[in-house]
Amino acid sequence: MEGTKYSTKEEILKRAQEAINIPLKDIDKTGRLSTGKGAVGSIIEESWFGYSINSESEPDFPEAGVELKVTPYIIGKKGEIRAKERLVCNIINYMEEYDKTFKTSSFWHKCETMLLMSYEHIKDVPKGDYKIDKAVLFSFPIEDLVIIERDWNIIMKKVRDGEAHLISEGDTMYLAACTKGANASSVRKQPFSDVMAKQRAYSLKSSYMTQILNQYIFGTATNERIITDWKQLQNHSFEDVIVEKLRPYFGKTQEQLKKQFGMEDCNAKNLNEVLLAKMLGIKGKIAYTDEFQKACIVPKTIRVQRNGNIKENMSFPTFDFIKLSKETEWEESDLYNYLAPTKFLFVIFQENDDGELIFDRVRFWNMPVDDLEEVHRVWQRTVDTIRNGVKLIPTSRGISNDLPKQSESPIAHVRPHGKDGSDKLPLPDGRMMTKQCFWLNNSYIEWQIKEYN
């Protein structure tokens, strides 16, 4: 790759900060604004820094060892800042990467130091009016780096085991291997299997980028950390450390735990979540801790009945019928981008013969890639049904519909998720329908837990 006229980190950062508050339409010299996805980054590369766009393995500024990344964020209704998307780094060449170490990997070579330039993505505002608002040089903090290196090793283990086709974003904490290509048919060879694997790229999860934006760019993050001494992670995974912290409480009843933490009078709906925080020494909610936020870990309490069955299905956020009907690519859908990178912490309470709830165990779990394909099928049928017009059928119990039922799939289905029958949203054809969401079948969750025992 050709060098650039910016050969030091100081020169690069100074030039980047000069772009702050200039509308992109005043920067764009090559007509990139009209090219769609990735246009903002291309404008900064070509028109501001003056180098040709490339997909080479070298950092964008090779002399300084700096990679340029332009990252959008969204401001929520309550003023919270969150990354709009994952930060895609570089394509993984399975045939070359497997025999490297983390420090000789293409990811580390390219992204050891990054120039992060951020801008707010505002709906219905032309891209030309967007402005870069922050520019910082970013290097991974040591407490994150030990987790990222472990993530890289998890990805490479699947490649070395001939399982590159089974890689999932949820396998890892901060560094993920996201699908990358024009469509699902974008595949590559892998070294230890004849099975073609989806093309993937190293990426930093959107949840991780949200924390980076808040902590290092805007300086607003104040999340509690579960692990205050990063050295604990040198020889043990984050998951193992959490399990060991909780192990002394396994086998205790809910009432015993309440008494231990001085919560005898607590009957909160989220009691088990509160107990979990107490066990881990957290003052607030475990879901809001630094590590859980960065890694997109969702805690889910599961109550196992004395017969070994799980009564409840697992729900996901309510979907907007009109928005869902406009989704065209599975891997760009809201459901995929929730399920694929998410790691769940199953907090399992087992009911004993006396009806008491025993804190039995925990399990970190993410959906296997083959199971994601079954959810893909359910998603596609849901999208098609909404586009074609949902059939609303009066029954003695209310109004039924022809969206995917639990009996149609071993993994997922669609069912109501509103306050009551009057809690509705509009369909594309203008009719109103009770709010719905995707659910994981209780039998599927039950199987995942039994398989682990």
Side-chain angles (χ1 to χ4, degrees):
M1 174 179 173
E2 295 180 3
T4 70
K5 61 181 179 180
Y6 305 100
S7 56
T8 68
K9 291 180 172 67
E10 292 74 20
E11 290 175 324
I12 294 165
L13 181 60
K14 181 175 182 295
R15 177 59 175 165
Q17 292 175 336
E18 290 169 354
I20 291 174
N21 289 329
I22 301 176
L24 290 176
K25 61 188 176 186
D26 296 339
I27 294 177
D28 185 20
K29 298 176 183 176
T30 59
R32 286 285 178 182
L33 273 173
S34 61
T35 61
K37 194 172 183 180
V40 178
S42 299
I43 290 167
I44 298 300
E45 291 179 41
E46 278 187 336
S47 299
W48 191 252
F49 281 104
Y51 66 84
S52 300
I53 295 170
N54 69 86
S55 57
E56 296 184 42
S57 58
E58 290 297 317
D60 293 317
F61 302 96
E63 297 92 344
V66 173
E67 174 73 2
L68 169 63
K69 291 296 179 185
V70 182
T71 184
Y73 64 89
I74 297 169
I75 297 181
K77 293 179 181 178
K78 297 180 181 179
E80 72 279 10
I81 293 170
R82 68 179 189 273
K84 179 178 179 289
E85 57 202 20
R86 63 176 70 86
L87 186 72
V88 179
C89 301
N90 59 293
I91 297 290
I92 304 172
N93 186 331
Y94 305 125
M95 303 299 289
E96 295 180 359
E97 195 79 347
Y98 73 91
D99 64 348
K100 298 181 185 290
T101 65
F102 176 71
K103 289 298 177 68
T104 62
S105 69
S106 61
F107 166 77
W108 187 246
H109 180 66
K110 195 171 179 68
C111 298
E112 179 179 358
T113 302
M114 292 186 287
L115 170 65
L116 297 179
M117 299 178 70
S118 63
Y119 68 93
E120 182 184 358
H121 175 91
I122 307 172
K123 188 178 180 181
D124 299 326
V125 170
K127 283 183 181 177
D129 292 334
Y130 289 165
K131 299 174 184 177
I132 299 295
D133 52 26
K134 298 282 185 180
V136 300
L137 284 170
F138 175 77
S139 297
F140 297 101
I142 187 64
E143 64 268 23
D144 291 357
L145 194 56
V146 290
I147 290 176
I148 287 170
E149 182 168 354
R150 189 175 295 275
D151 287 341
W152 183 87
N153 281 311
I154 288 170
I155 295 167
M156 281 304 111
K157 184 178 187 308
K158 281 201 169 179
V159 176
R160 292 167 185 148
D161 289 347
E163 296 180 345
H165 56 291
L166 298 180
I167 291 172
S168 173
E169 290 180 68
D171 293 338
T172 49
M173 295 270 290
Y174 303 165
L175 177 69
C178 69
T179 55
K180 181 70 173 174
N183 50 53
S185 64
S186 296
V187 294
R188 300 179 73 102
K189 290 183 178 180
Q190 57 174 311
F192 302 108
S193 172
D194 293 332
V195 179
M196 298 296 284
K198 283 185 179 180
Q199 179 166 275
R200 292 183 177 271
Y202 292 119
S203 64
L204 297 172
K205 292 186 179 185
S206 60
S207 52
Y208 182 76
M209 289 308 301
T210 291
Q211 292 303 103
I212 295 307
L213 283 163
N214 281 284
Q215 190 168 349
Y216 296 100
I217 295 183
F218 292 97
T220 56
T222 57
N223 301 85
E224 285 184 90
R225 290 189 63 85
I226 300 174
I227 300 174
T228 54
D229 182 3
W230 64 268
K231 292 180 181 178
Q232 292 182 61
L233 298 169
Q234 287 182 307
N235 299 313
H236 304 281
S237 69
F238 173 80
E239 295 95 323
D240 287 344
V241 172
I242 296 301
V243 171
E244 288 308 308
K245 280 178 174 284
L246 294 173
R247 192 177 299 282
Y249 304 100
F250 292 168
K252 293 191 176 185
T253 67
Q254 194 180 66
E255 290 302 315
Q256 287 173 330
L257 291 170
K258 286 171 65 175
K259 184 176 181 180
Q260 182 169 346
F261 295 114
M263 297 169 54
E264 291 95 331
D265 298 329
C266 181
N267 293 301
K269 189 176 180 180
N270 65 336
L271 173 61
N272 290 331
E273 184 181 343
V274 175
L275 288 172
L276 184 67
K278 294 285 187 182
M279 289 184 260
L280 290 173
I282 299 299
K283 295 177 182 178
K285 292 185 175 182
I286 187 173
Y288 295 158
T289 57
D290 182 76
E291 297 95 339
F292 272 55
Q293 287 281 296
K294 283 179 179 175
C296 194
I297 301 173
V298 176
K300 289 280 188 180
T301 298
I302 295 175
R303 177 174 174 167
V304 181
Q305 297 173 303
R306 66 188 72 182
N307 61 6
N309 295 335
I310 296 171
K311 185 177 180 181
E312 296 88 4
N313 299 291
M314 184 184 293
S315 66
F316 297 111
T318 299
F319 53 70
D320 182 306
F321 299 116
I322 296 173
K323 183 181 178 184
L324 181 59
S325 71
K326 294 178 180 177
E327 292 183 342
T328 57
E329 296 292 334
W330 163 238
E331 290 177 355
E332 294 180 5
S333 69
D334 285 347
L335 182 59
Y336 178 87
N337 283 304
Y338 179 86
L339 268 182
T342 298
K343 190 182 288 289
F344 294 91
L345 172 60
F346 291 158
V347 184
I348 303 161
F349 281 80
Q350 174 75 51
E351 188 180 39
N352 67 14
D353 292 337
D354 297 323
E356 297 176 303
L357 287 178
I358 309 292
F359 179 38
D360 189 59
R361 63 195 188 280
V362 294
R363 183 194 177 188
F364 285 92
W365 176 87
N366 62 280
M367 182 169 283
V369 66
D370 288 345
D371 292 354
L372 270 173
E373 278 305 304
E374 171 60 17
V375 179
H376 176 191
R377 188 189 67 78
V378 174
W379 169 85
Q380 188 64 61
R381 194 170 100 59
T382 304
V383 171
D384 292 342
T385 301
I386 294 172
R387 284 179 189 159
N388 295 330
V390 180
K391 293 179 181 177
L392 300 179
I393 308 157
T395 70
S396 59
R397 300 179 61 185
I399 304 295
S400 68
N401 60 64
D402 60 340
L403 292 169
K405 303 291 188 292
Q406 187 168 352
S407 58
E408 297 178 37
S409 168
I411 296 177
H413 65 283
V414 175
R415 57 187 285 222
H417 196 22
K419 297 175 183 176
D420 52 45
S422 64
D423 193 6
K424 299 181 178 182
L425 284 173
L427 290 163
D429 58 14
R431 293 178 298 162
M432 301 296 290
M433 182 178 177
T434 305
K435 289 179 180 177
Q436 308 277 323
C437 80
F438 292 101
W439 297 70
L440 293 184
N441 301 350
N442 54 353
S443 55
Y444 174 68
I445 299 300
E446 194 177 296
W447 174 250
Q448 298 307 310
I449 292 173
K450 286 180 178 177
E451 186 181 55
Y452 181 66
N453 281 343

